[in-house]
Amino acid sequence: ILSFTAEFCCGFFVILILGNFWFLGVLYLLWLYHDWDTPCAGGRRFQCVRNWTIWKYFREYFPIKLIKTSELSPEHNYLLGFHPHGVLVAGAFGNFCTGQNFKTLFPGITPYLHITPIWFGCPFFREYVMSAGMVSASKESVSYVLNNKGGGHASVIVIGGAEESLNAHPGSLTLNILKRKGFIKMALKHGAHLVPVFSFGENELFKQVANPRGSRLRSIQERLQKIMGFALPLFHARGVFQYTFGLIPYRQPIHTIVGSPIPVKKNLNPTNEEIEQLHELYLQKLNKLFEDHKRNYGIPEQRCLVFE
């Protein structure tokens, strides 16, 4: 979905450069050069964009709901680990980039959704995603958010990343997390409390072409993902007036559960053992969050999360 919008914005920029208004394109390039580091420095959000009426209809279409299980004190900074990625990452966008739901449930906390840095190289598109509260997923960007000494800032990171979108099949409970420990190190270095977040229904929005690990399709997708920085899942859902085929996501409820914070003491030089210990604790808390709520959202008792 992001790629389609980015391609449109890039196409518009090319037309601008090659057309009669080329001077506007040149001015924008100068602005881009001047503004290049903004996605790593907290971005540039506009509340009016985050409150567009269209986002209300977007959330109600599925619908998307944010559920609070514990208080988050504005005296601390937080690193929220979002799971799973899904194809659209609808729960992350709907809850942390649009509307007032998060602000109402967690007053005093400002969320920043970190996305792949490549998107901020797209002319005009970068302005759009920043206005909604998205920033780069680079270490520099995460550090900028978590360095707020007054507290009240929350980095929202989709831990599984683009690779996990290739597992986004209906019913899938596989999370790419065992080798992903950079977010743990960042939390330790900044003393940011860790908060597991699980979004029930995220993988039910699209049907993806079968791509089991080891298959030719999966190998090609993984190779392209390493080259381009984002994955290319082959998916479909429903159309506008029919339900058999199209790119409009299915109307499946999404319930994003925000877990209890794991207190983290600041440690500028954490050892590998300390990182491993906190990573294991995070996995335990994430699994408990899932187990405590899965019955409410139609997950059979025997189904469990799979960490890989």
Side-chain angles (χ1 to χ4, degrees):
I1 303 301
L2 282 177
S3 63
F4 294 153
T5 310
E7 288 171 6
F8 174 82
C9 291
C10 288
F12 176 75
F13 177 72
V14 170
I15 293 172
L16 196 65
I17 286 288
L18 298 178
N20 295 330
F21 298 96
W22 59 268
F23 59 94
L24 293 178
V26 172
L27 287 175
Y28 182 79
L29 283 176
L30 293 174
W31 161 255
L32 192 62
Y33 175 80
H34 171 76
D35 194 58
W36 189 256
D37 294 331
T38 300
C40 295
R44 184 174 46 250
R45 68 180 59 207
F46 292 104
Q47 198 59 42
C48 60
V49 175
R50 291 166 60 86
N51 289 338
W52 278 351
T53 302
I54 191 174
W55 304 137
K56 174 178 178 289
Y57 295 121
F58 172 78
R59 293 191 303 272
E60 291 178 351
Y61 171 80
F62 297 98
I64 296 174
K65 295 184 179 180
L66 185 66
I67 296 158
K68 169 182 175 180
T69 64
S70 179
E71 297 290 340
L72 297 183
S73 170
E75 295 180 0
H76 302 291
N77 292 320
Y78 299 90
L79 195 159
L80 278 62
F82 184 90
H83 312 270
H85 184 288
V87 171
L88 189 62
V89 204
F93 179 76
N95 287 310
F96 303 118
C97 295
T98 71
Q100 299 290 323
N101 288 352
F102 186 88
K103 185 177 181 180
T104 300
L105 292 176
F106 303 101
I109 307 292
T110 302
Y112 297 80
L113 179 60
H114 296 269
I115 64 174
T116 306
I118 191 174
W119 298 120
F120 296 100
C122 299
F124 300 116
F125 181 73
R126 68 190 297 275
E127 321 302 335
Y128 161 65
V129 294
M130 277 197 291
S131 67
M134 287 178 261
V135 293
S136 172
S138 66
K139 292 180 181 179
E140 179 186 0
S141 178
V142 177
S143 292
Y144 185 93
V145 173
L146 299 182
N147 265 335
N148 181 46
K149 295 182 180 179
H153 284 197
S155 282
V156 183
I157 302 177
V158 184
I159 304 300
E163 182 183 359
E164 192 173 84
S165 67
L166 300 178
N167 289 331
H169 296 273
S172 174
L173 295 174
T174 300
L175 304 180
N176 292 63
I177 191 173
L178 292 182
K179 295 181 180 179
R180 296 179 180 266
K181 300 172 185 176
F183 73 104
I184 297 292
K185 187 174 183 179
M186 293 297 291
L188 282 165
K189 291 182 70 172
H190 296 284
H193 294 195
L194 280 167
V195 183
V197 178
F198 195 87
S199 195
F200 289 91
E202 200 74 44
N203 285 338
E204 318 305 316
L205 307 185
F206 297 93
K207 292 180 180 178
Q208 190 173 166
V209 175
N211 60 342
R213 289 193 179 277
S215 66
R216 184 176 181 181
L217 174 59
R218 185 62 169 257
S219 298
I220 294 174
Q221 289 175 318
E222 290 175 344
R223 195 176 302 120
L224 289 174
Q225 187 261 320
K226 290 179 181 178
I227 295 172
M228 298 185 299
F230 58 91
L232 291 173
L234 299 179
F235 61 88
H236 70 88
R238 53 162 291 185
V240 178
F241 301 112
Q242 44 77 30
Y243 294 85
T244 55
F245 190 82
L247 294 178
I248 297 177
Y250 294 114
R251 297 190 69 177
Q252 295 290 338
I254 298 173
H255 295 89
T256 302
I257 317 295
V258 180
S260 301
I262 303 170
V264 177
K265 186 176 180 181
K266 188 172 183 178
N267 184 349
L268 293 176
N269 296 293
T271 64
N272 288 336
E273 183 180 359
E274 290 169 330
I275 293 173
E276 290 287 348
Q277 289 177 349
L278 184 55
H279 187 260
E280 181 60 32
L281 177 60
Y282 180 85
L283 293 181
Q284 293 174 10
K285 295 294 185 180
L286 173 60
N287 189 65
K288 185 177 186 303
L289 180 68
F290 172 79
E291 292 293 331
D292 287 347
H293 295 274
K294 68 180 183 181
R295 300 168 192 80
N296 298 330
Y297 306 110
I299 308 295
E301 182 66 31
Q302 68 273 18
R303 297 296 307 282
C304 301
L305 288 180
V306 177
F307 297 141
E308 62 174 34

